[in-house]
Amino acid sequence: ADGELVQYYYGLKDLVTILFYIFIAIILHAVVQEYALDKINRRLHLSKVKHSKFNESGQLVAFHLTSVIWCLYVVVTEGYISNPRSLWENYPHVYLPFQVKFFYLCQLAYWLHALPELYFQKVRKEEIPRQLRCIALYLVHIAGAYLLNLTRLGLILLLLQYLAEFFFHMARLVYFTDENNEKLFNVWAVVFVVTRLFTLTLYILVIGFGLPRVENQALDPERGNFFSFLFNNILFRMSVLLLVCLFQASVMWRFIHFQLRRWREYWNEQSSRKRATTSAKQQAKPLKRDSGYHENGVVKAENGTSPRTKKLKSP
């Protein structure tokens, strides 16, 4: 009421809050599964493999859509998009607004709840390593941005990542309902490339030009300044940028390899369909027959005589 702005800092009590929202995420997961995905699955009659992938994509579409809208609202209201310099100015960003802190705690709770969901959803053993790797990567990056006071940069990166993931899983859902409809995969490909370019540009802007200009370059863990002094060293800064570029290049290489394989399969399928259509047309053409008709295995002319020329007997 008196205009004071309350801000927050991370601590051990966050673990209790995260535990509470893990149970909330499990309940919401069950609601989406029972009242939406199970009803659609009963209509589609999918196989076991497609059934598992459909459930995974359905849950992630709901989560990514909610996270994109929520994250976009946070970065717009906090002014991180209108003022890009705020991503590194006054680093370290130790004290957080309520909505930023609450967003990070909910993100950690969701990805932690995904671990017991592997058992509840009866995920196949072949899929468990891939999903564990994905969960671990999200937890490491989100927790790292939260604990190292890089929450502003982390919000923008999560927004870009979740936007691309939303289109990918939405394209998978459409593909499971209609295997001939792959147009949304093309939309995802464009969004993926654009988000990778923005991600790489943001890394170069913040790491290469922003953090080295921070006024407080001394190591001070008590105030949350962990490594800004390292970016003052040009060798360390260039090494980090090189690692970031190599990682993004590997991601783009896998993406290009996936697209080439998908286009190759598409053109092979189209060519096989054309060959099948051509052979069917050839079989459907009427066969040319000689004039006349058959009688006792002998071709007769229309007047009843044989079409063969008769040999004259010598007298």
Side-chain angles (χ1 to χ4, degrees):
D2 56 358
E4 291 184 356
L5 180 62
V6 179
Q7 292 185 326
Y8 299 85
Y9 184 71
Y10 61 80
L12 293 177
K13 292 182 180 180
D14 290 345
L15 299 177
V16 181
T17 308
I18 291 173
L19 180 62
F20 173 77
Y21 283 102
I22 285 175
F23 294 115
I24 298 297
I26 292 175
I27 295 172
L28 294 177
H29 189 113
V31 170
V32 173
Q33 184 67 41
E34 182 175 356
Y35 292 98
L37 298 179
D38 287 344
K39 291 183 179 180
I40 299 175
N41 279 323
R42 284 193 289 268
R43 294 182 180 180
L44 296 178
H45 304 287
L46 299 175
S47 61
K48 291 184 178 180
V49 177
K50 290 184 178 180
H51 183 271
S52 177
K53 292 182 178 180
F54 184 87
N55 289 335
E56 177 190 357
S57 293
Q59 293 288 346
L60 290 176
V61 161
F63 168 72
H64 286 139
L65 179 60
T66 305
S67 297
V68 165
I69 297 174
W70 189 3
C71 188
L72 183 62
Y73 173 79
V74 172
V75 298
V76 170
T77 55
E78 294 296 331
Y80 299 153
I81 293 182
S82 60
N83 183 20
R85 295 174 62 89
S86 63
L87 297 179
W88 61 82
E89 281 184 342
N90 300 322
Y91 177 84
H93 308 132
V94 179
Y95 300 104
L96 307 175
F98 170 77
Q99 59 180 354
V100 175
K101 180 181 175 65
F102 186 56
F103 177 81
Y104 271 93
L105 294 182
C106 290
Q107 291 295 313
L108 292 172
Y110 179 86
W111 290 110
L112 285 172
H113 111 281
L115 295 174
E117 286 295 342
L118 295 177
Y119 173 76
F120 295 147
Q121 294 292 321
K122 298 179 180 179
V123 179
R124 296 185 306 154
K125 293 182 179 180
E126 297 82 5
E127 293 291 326
I128 289 178
R130 178 185 63 84
Q131 295 198 20
L132 284 177
R133 185 167 60 251
C134 178
I135 294 170
L137 287 173
Y138 273 111
L139 286 175
V140 168
H141 284 81
I142 295 172
Y146 183 65
L147 297 176
L148 297 177
N149 301 315
L150 289 169
T151 51
R152 299 180 183 182
L153 176 62
L155 282 172
I156 305 298
L157 293 178
L158 279 177
L159 177 62
L160 296 172
Q161 175 67 18
Y162 284 163
L163 186 63
E165 289 292 314
F166 168 75
F167 280 101
F168 173 72
H169 290 287
M170 195 67 196
R172 284 218 304 182
L173 290 180
V174 174
Y175 175 76
F176 289 142
T177 56
D178 183 11
E179 294 186 354
N180 295 323
N181 191 351
E182 297 185 0
K183 295 181 180 180
L184 206 55
F185 277 109
N186 298 328
V187 177
W188 164 71
V190 175
V191 174
F192 182 85
V193 173
V194 172
T195 54
R196 290 303 99 190
L197 292 176
F198 271 103
T199 300
L200 184 59
T201 304
L202 192 62
Y203 272 120
I204 295 174
L205 181 64
V206 175
I207 297 176
F209 300 98
L211 289 178
R213 298 181 180 180
V214 174
E215 295 179 358
N216 185 14
Q217 294 288 346
L219 177 63
D220 192 358
E222 294 182 358
R223 296 185 178 181
N225 193 347
F226 295 100
F227 54 85
S228 64
F229 71 100
L230 294 175
F231 290 100
N232 197 25
N233 187 345
I234 188 171
L235 182 61
F236 178 81
R237 187 164 68 247
M238 296 304 296
S239 299
V240 172
L241 289 176
L242 180 61
L243 289 176
V244 169
C245 293
L246 289 177
F247 176 76
Q248 294 298 325
S250 66
V251 172
M252 286 301 300
W253 169 251
R254 284 183 293 175
F255 170 77
I256 294 172
H257 181 70
F258 169 76
Q259 291 296 325
L260 291 176
R261 184 180 62 185
R262 190 170 69 90
W263 289 338
R264 193 183 304 114
E265 292 175 354
Y266 174 77
W267 288 115
N268 290 336
E269 183 180 356
Q270 292 296 322
S271 61
S272 62
R273 286 182 180 180
K274 288 182 180 179
R275 288 195 297 268
T277 304
T278 304
S279 61
K281 288 182 179 179
Q282 290 178 354
Q283 293 178 0
K285 289 182 179 180
L287 298 175
K288 293 182 179 180
R289 296 183 178 179
D290 296 333
S291 60
Y293 61 94
H294 291 76
E295 182 178 344
N296 295 330
V298 179
V299 179
K300 299 290 185 178
E302 293 181 356
N303 55 2
T305 61
S306 174
R308 297 179 180 177
T309 56
K310 294 182 179 180
K311 295 183 179 180
L312 299 176
K313 294 182 181 180
S314 59

